[in-house]
Structures are given as C-alpha cells and as structure tokens.
Amino acid sequence: MAIKFIVDSMCDTNSDILNRYDFDILPFPVTLDDKTYFDGINITPEMVVDFVNNNSKLFPKTAQIQPLDITNTIEKHLKNGDDVIYLVLSSKLSGTYQTARLLARDLLEKYPERKVAIVDSLSATTGSALILYQGLKLNKLNRPYEEIVETMTFLAQHAQIFFLVGDIKWLAQGGRISRNAAMLGDMLKIVPILYFKDGEILVYEKIRGQKKALKTLFAIVEEKMANREQVLGMIQSTAPDLQDRAKKYFEKELGIKNFLLPEKAGSTLTVHIGTNCLGIMFFDQLPDNYVNVIP
C-alpha cells in the first residue's frame, strides 16, 4: 500500500520535481474559439498568447476538469490498493473541488477499505506546488497519511500569493476589469498587484510604474514572510528577467536559500494572468514538520 498524489494543471511544478516524484496531473480544458485543448498536453502558453493577440473580440475559455478523468485517475490507484490525496485548484476559482468530493464519496463506497482526501489548495500555480511538495517530502519520509493530509490542509490555509500584472489590458479582455479602466490604467502606466484572499483573486494594490510596483511587491513579501527558513516559490509569464531580479533580491536581502521555480506558467494560468507577470508564493506560518529542502 502506498500514498498516491494527484494535482491539476494549475499546479505549476518544474522538471526537477517531475523527474524525482511520481504524481498525476489532471489537465484543465482550454478553449480557443471553437476548439478545446487540454493544458499540458496539446496546448502551450504561446498558443494562448498568439490567440489573444490575433483575436480582439474573442478570448480563451477554461472549464472544470472532466469528471471522468477524475474518477478514472482516483480509481486506478484504489484498485491497486493505494490511498489517494488529490490537491485541487482553489474552490473559489473552479467547481472542480466540489465535483471531486462528490466523486470521491462514491468511490469510497466502492472501495471502503481505502482512503481518499480531496484537499482544497485555496491556491493556484506555484502556491499549490509548494503545498504538494511538502506532501511529497513527508511521504518520502514515511510520515502517516493523516499527518500528510493535515499538513497540506494547514499549508493551504497559510499560503500567500502575490502577482505583479504585466499587461492591464489583458485583464480587461478576460473580463476582470472594465475596458475603460484598462485604457485609463494603460495610459497612466498602472501596474496592479493581485493576491489570493481565502482562495479568491483580488486586487491588492495599484501602483504607477513597473519599477515601483516591483519594489512594492518585494516589500510585501518582506513584511508578510516572517519565517524565511522556507522554500519560496515564483512563477513568471514571459518575464524571466523580472523573476531573476526577484530571486537575486530575496537571496541577498532576505537570505532565502531555496526556491521553487517552474520553467514557465501553464496555459490555464496564462489565460487568467496574461503576459509579463511575476508571481511570488510563500507561507505566513509553518507547521512543525516543515521540510525546507529542494528538490
């Protein structure tokens, strides 16, 4: 008997973790015009960006993970006599969490001797990856199933995620702000900083100018990241230079030693945040069993 982990494609990891650990990734559907693709399988962030740049009246759409994919993935592990932990995109951003809970309940009636935990990440992207990574580490240390679920749930409740938005017009196309607000913001060089609050994406602050916005983002992390003996996650959408500057700053000024850096944002995330974005993820409180090791 083993513990098997499942995440969705909004959990952005990197090649080091993918090569070292075994876990399933369920893809979110992404629709461009009338064709549906599956994140991480047959669509790339570049395809999303090209579509938006070439279609002023159309915008990509995302949907819940297909229920059959969830059922089949969980059941294959239960059939093998393994227990399952499924870490899902924030329930405030997708109905996948509620769907997964209902499906898991039905499967447990079929496999009553097994365990299935559906954990609401209250996060996305590298925030979810940081939670997953702790679960994977604890499992490698042979910690009990209940301890791993409890720790991942605790971390979800203490995840801090902040995004510096590169293109305010992208938010308008996606319907997050009005086109008039985006036009005015673009003229004034307004750079929004978004954040997760109880699993929901909200505007934290609006800063004039990218240089000042980046400085503000660094100050937010410095204020809220009380314990710096942890892995700090970042992700960039077509902004590797910004991520490199952030990494050097946190190494020098905050003494951060370990980073989780996905190679690039996934297609689903790109739909929601656009281009030239930088995201910073960490925890405002750590459990006693926290493992500060990468990979």
Side-chain angles (χ1 to χ4, degrees), residues 148-163:
I148 296 174
V149 172
E150 182 180 344
T151 299
M152 293 176 70
T153 302
F154 176 90
L155 289 171
Q157 295 166 350
H158 291 279
Q160 296 286 313
I161 303 178
F162 293 87
F163 276 101

Side-chain angles (χ1 to χ4, degrees), residues 37-176:
Y37 303 85
F38 292 93
D39 193 3
I41 297 176
N42 59 354
I43 187 171
T44 65
E46 290 78 15
M47 290 170 62
V48 173
V49 173
D50 288 344
F51 180 84
V52 172
N53 288 340
N54 294 314
N55 293 274
S56 59
K57 295 183 179 180
L58 295 173
F59 197 78
K61 297 178 181 178
T62 60
Q64 288 188 42
I65 292 172
Q66 296 184 342
L68 186 60
D69 287 346
I70 298 173
T71 296
N72 289 343
T73 303
I74 295 176
E75 187 166 22
K76 74 176 181 181
H77 296 306
L78 301 182
K79 278 183 178 179
N80 289 334
D82 297 324
D83 296 327
V84 172
I85 300 174
Y86 178 13
L87 180 69
V88 192
L89 171 66
S90 172
S91 59
K92 298 291 182 67
L93 302 180
S94 171
T96 301
Y97 170 73
Q98 294 297 341
T99 299
R101 288 190 65 188
L102 293 173
L103 296 173
R105 184 187 64 188
D106 293 341
L107 286 168
L108 284 173
E109 290 181 1
K110 188 175 180 181
Y111 301 92
E113 74 284 0
R114 298 270 55 86
K115 300 174 184 176
V116 179
I118 309 298
V119 179
D120 185 352
S121 72
L122 297 173
S123 301
T125 185
T126 316
S128 297
L130 289 173
I131 300 168
L132 168 68
Y133 187 65
Q134 286 299 305
L136 294 170
K137 276 292 184 185
L138 292 174
N139 185 44
K140 196 169 185 178
L141 294 171
N142 296 315
R143 304 307 302 169
Y145 179 90
E146 289 75 15
E147 179 185 336
I148 296 174
V149 172
E150 182 180 344
T151 299
M152 293 176 70
T153 302
F154 176 90
L155 289 171
Q157 295 166 350
H158 291 279
Q160 296 286 313
I161 303 178
F162 293 87
F163 276 101
L164 184 153
V165 176
D167 186 353
I168 194 171
K169 291 180 290 185
W170 190 287
L171 297 183
Q173 286 181 275
R176 292 192 176 277

